[in-house]
């Protein structure tokens, strides 16, 4: 039997031509707007090749165990009965003078937000020594409560609920001062409990929500030392008990863990510990007794809010479902979840992008999609806070810090495109539900 190599090569050439043609046709179909939009709704990706990869990721996901979120289980209501669950992080303590704090608070309300997550750094209130609430850093001395009193007053005037974030101890609370890190916990949790009690006593009936610390599972939020879920639980228990002793209506919010896949945080100073492992260890030592709301961070990072890929080593907005799964497995399904910080970063091209990068137009679109997904799909997540409204100082931008590109307004009050998107969307939602502007 004669064997003609030219025929074989000819047949292979035809085969490869057909393969490439089929691939090109598939990509052409995928590039059509309806198909591309559908793939974005599944993968959170806006470009064709990442969308195709995302679809293959979803196909592989079918063999992994499904998360259990118990979406129909009743969840305790810890939010205010009135107002939409749209919040934003503020830094009002940095605004100079009551008039500027009032102006920024009014702008927050006019945007359409109904909540603010506002730091109350311990080092800014009990500055000089235990039980000393006078600020003597400038002349003349004044009450260290003054600026926070004005923040609460302005929030009340504009119908905003306040979540105070309590952390950042003064140096006097540690024998080594700031050598172990300016964000390291105090040597004695009782000192933190006394501070938390003083805050709750002062604002009882006006502020209900207190978040105890922020991201204690990563560096440098727990100082120059290994992180410790057990030590954080001791701090949480002391603060929660103290706050509840003076305000039975207070709501204690667990520190939001930073989403990370790292594992060295509990063995090395400066290391990070996986958020899911950290949370499980909190449950193991009985931390659930000491919080009313479990908080997470909701950064989209490298994909959009509609990304439905679930993998323990992938960080996206949907990671909140892994946390909910962990809550359910620990018998804590009745506890609501909040997002403490949520956004997409618009750092310009040519600069480092450790938090991912999206266009300014996509930032606003993604935030609205995230709010919609939360409302439509996650009944156990009852509040989401955007990171962040504005800062009084331009220092992040001057240093080239990518955090500056999460902002909704620059330090001069110039809005980013996302501000206009949210302002319009919040307004349309209020109008559709017959609600008046809270400002």
């Amino acid at each position: 039997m004669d064997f003609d190599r030219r025929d074989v090569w000819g047949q292979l050439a035809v085969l490869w031509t057909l393969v490439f043609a089929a691939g090109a046709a598939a990509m052409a179909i995928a590039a059509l707007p309806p198909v591309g939009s559908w793939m974005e709704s599944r993968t959170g990706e806006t470009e064709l090749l990442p969308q195709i990869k995302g679809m293959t990721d979803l196909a592989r996901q079918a063999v992994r165990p499904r998360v259990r979120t118990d979406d129909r289980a009743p969840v305790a209501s810890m939010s205010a009965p009135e107002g939409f669950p749209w919040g934003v992080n503020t830094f009002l303590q940095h605004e100079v003078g009551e008039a500027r704090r009032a102006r920024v608070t009014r702008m927050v309300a006019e945007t359409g937000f109904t909540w603010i997550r506002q730091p109350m750094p311990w080092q800014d209130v009990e500055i000089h020594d235990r039980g000393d609430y006078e600020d003597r850093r400038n002349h003349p001395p004044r009450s260290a409560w003054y600026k926070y009193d004005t923040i609460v007053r302005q929030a009340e005037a504009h119908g905003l609920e306040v979540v105070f974030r309590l952390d950042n101890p003064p140096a006097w609370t540690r024998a080594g001062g700031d050598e172990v890190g300016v964000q390291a916990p105090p040597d004695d949790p009782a000192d933190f409990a006394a501070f938390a009690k003083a805050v709750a006593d002062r604002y009882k009936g006006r502020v209900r929500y207190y978040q105890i610390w922020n991201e204690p599972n990563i560096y440098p939020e727990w100082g120059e030392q290994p992180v410790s879920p057990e030590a954080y639980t001791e701090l949480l228990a002391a603060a929660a008990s103290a706050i509840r002793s003076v305000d039975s209506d207070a709501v204690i919010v667990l520190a939001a863990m930073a989403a990370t896949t790292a594992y060295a945080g509990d063995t090395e100073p400066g290391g990070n510990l996986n958020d899911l492992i950290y949370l499980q260890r909190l449950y193991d030592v009985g931390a659930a007794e000491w919080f009313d709301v479990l908080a997470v961070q909701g950064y989209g990072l490298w994909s959009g809010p509609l990304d439905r890929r679930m993998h323990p080593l992938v960080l996206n907005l949907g990671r909140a479902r892994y946390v909910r799964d962990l809550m359910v497995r620990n018998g804590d399904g009745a506890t609501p979840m909040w997002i403490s910080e949520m956004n997409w970063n618009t750092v310009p091209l040519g600069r480092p992008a450790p938090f991912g990068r999206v266009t300014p137009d996509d930032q606003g679109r993604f935030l609205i999609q995230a709010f919609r997904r939360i409302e439509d799909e996650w009944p156990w997540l009852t509040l989401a806070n955007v990171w962040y409204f504005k800062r009084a100082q331009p220092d992040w931008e001057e240093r080239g810090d990518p955090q500056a590109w999460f902002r909704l307004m620059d330090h001069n009050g110039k809005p980013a495109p996302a501000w206009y998107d949210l302002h319009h969307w919040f307004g349309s939602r209020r109008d559709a539900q017959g609600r008046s502007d809270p400002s």
Side-chain angles (χ1 to χ4, degrees):
M1 182 175 183
D2 293 335
F3 183 77
D4 191 338
R5 290 186 178 182
R6 289 175 298 178
D7 290 341
V8 174
W9 286 113
Q11 291 170 11
L12 286 174
V14 171
L15 177 61
W16 280 112
T17 300
L18 291 173
V19 169
F20 279 117
M27 292 185 68
I29 293 172
L32 294 174
V35 179
S37 297
W38 180 80
M39 289 200 295
E40 181 183 347
S41 74
R42 307 303 299 172
T43 67
E45 301 287 359
T46 58
E47 297 181 359
L48 178 59
L49 291 179
Q51 287 176 344
I52 293 173
K53 180 186 180 300
M55 295 305 295
T56 64
D57 292 340
L58 286 171
R60 290 196 298 268
Q61 187 170 300
V63 300
R64 297 192 197 105
R66 290 177 177 262
V67 297
R68 178 186 171 194
T69 55
D70 279 8
D71 293 348
R72 296 184 180 181
V75 172
S77 176
M78 291 296 173
S79 303
E82 297 295 330
F84 294 97
W86 307 325
V88 69
N89 284 265
T90 55
F91 296 97
L92 296 169
Q93 80 277 17
H94 293 155
E95 300 290 343
V96 179
E98 185 169 358
R100 289 194 62 172
R101 282 191 287 275
R103 176 175 175 268
V104 175
T105 307
R106 174 178 55 78
M107 286 163 32
V108 169
E110 288 177 348
T111 307
F113 291 110
T114 54
W115 292 69
I116 59 172
R117 180 177 179 254
Q118 167 64 43
M120 181 182 274
W122 184 7
Q123 63 186 2
D124 198 35
V125 177
E126 202 171 6
I127 304 162
H128 307 289
D129 203 353
R130 186 179 290 105
D132 184 347
Y133 297 103
E134 184 179 61
D135 185 351
R136 295 185 293 279
R137 294 172 295 187
N138 298 291
H139 186 79
R142 70 191 314 171
S143 168
W145 297 108
Y146 169 72
K147 69 177 72 171
Y148 299 98
D149 288 348
T150 66
I151 289 170
V152 171
R153 183 164 60 251
Q154 291 297 330
E156 289 174 329
H158 294 289
L160 296 169
E161 288 287 344
V162 177
V163 182
F164 268 140
R165 192 186 95 190
L166 308 182
D167 54 10
N168 281 38
W172 62 260
T173 65
R174 298 175 292 257
D178 289 340
E179 291 181 2
V180 73
V182 296
Q183 294 170 287
D187 293 341
D188 186 354
D191 285 331
F192 185 57
F195 164 67
K197 182 177 181 179
V199 174
D201 191 44
R202 188 173 188 87
Y203 299 111
K204 180 181 179 179
R206 304 175 72 191
V207 175
R208 288 187 63 202
Y209 306 97
Y210 299 96
Q211 185 162 31
I212 310 303
W213 225 261
N214 185 61
E215 298 183 341
N217 65 314
I218 64 167
Y219 175 84
E221 305 280 354
W222 199 246
E224 305 280 347
Q225 59 185 340
V227 304
S228 171
E230 295 75 23
Y232 170 72
T233 299
E234 184 179 1
L235 193 72
L236 170 69
S241 180
I243 292 171
R244 289 168 175 170
S245 73
V246 296
D247 186 356
S248 59
D249 291 328
V251 175
I252 308 301
V253 184
L254 186 72
M257 306 305 149
T260 176
T261 59
Y263 293 93
D266 57 347
T267 59
E268 300 175 8
N272 303 330
L273 180 60
N274 181 282
D275 49 319
L276 302 177
I277 293 174
Y278 193 104
L279 285 169
Q280 184 56 59
R281 284 171 57 177
L282 291 181
Y283 279 117
D284 291 343
V285 294
E289 176 183 357
W290 301 110
F291 64 86
D292 304 302
V293 175
L294 189 148
V296 299
Q297 304 294 46
Y299 292 103
L301 301 177
W302 294 276
S303 67
L306 305 180
D307 187 354
R308 299 179 185 280
R309 288 171 288 182
M310 295 293 296
H311 191 291
L313 299 181
V314 172
L315 306 180
N316 56 14
L317 182 68
R319 191 174 181 82
R321 298 183 67 237
Y322 274 126
V323 178
R324 172 65 182 177
D325 175 84
L326 189 150
M327 295 172 69
V328 170
R329 293 177 189 278
N330 281 276
D332 200 23
T335 296
M337 181 189 295
W338 288 358
I339 288 179
S340 289
E341 302 169 12
M342 176 182 77
N343 208 345
W344 282 261
N345 197 272
T346 63
V347 63
L349 292 171
R351 301 191 184 191
F355 309 114
R357 179 187 286 114
V358 302
T359 67
D361 288 339
D362 276 344
Q363 184 184 43
R365 183 168 69 92
F366 282 0
L367 284 169
I368 292 170
Q369 286 179 347
F371 279 121
R372 284 174 171 161
R373 183 179 182 189
I374 290 166
E375 290 180 337
D376 294 343
E377 301 179 22
W378 299 344
W380 32 266
L381 205 159
T382 58
L383 173 65
N385 298 285
V386 175
W387 180 263
Y388 59 91
F389 194 72
K390 74 179 288 288
R391 282 171 59 86
Q393 317 96 322
D395 53 344
W396 279 351
E397 183 175 350
E398 290 173 344
R399 296 197 307 266
D401 189 328
Q403 288 228 54
W405 304 100
F406 283 119
R407 68 196 179 200
L408 296 181
M409 289 190 175
D410 70 13
H411 66 281
N412 290 317
K414 179 182 178 181
W419 181 88
Y420 291 100
D421 293 335
L422 289 172
H423 178 59
H424 175 76
W425 188 70
F426 289 156
S428 66
R429 294 296 302 277
R430 282 197 305 269
D431 293 344
Q433 297 188 29
R435 300 292 298 277
S436 62
D437 191 323
S439 65

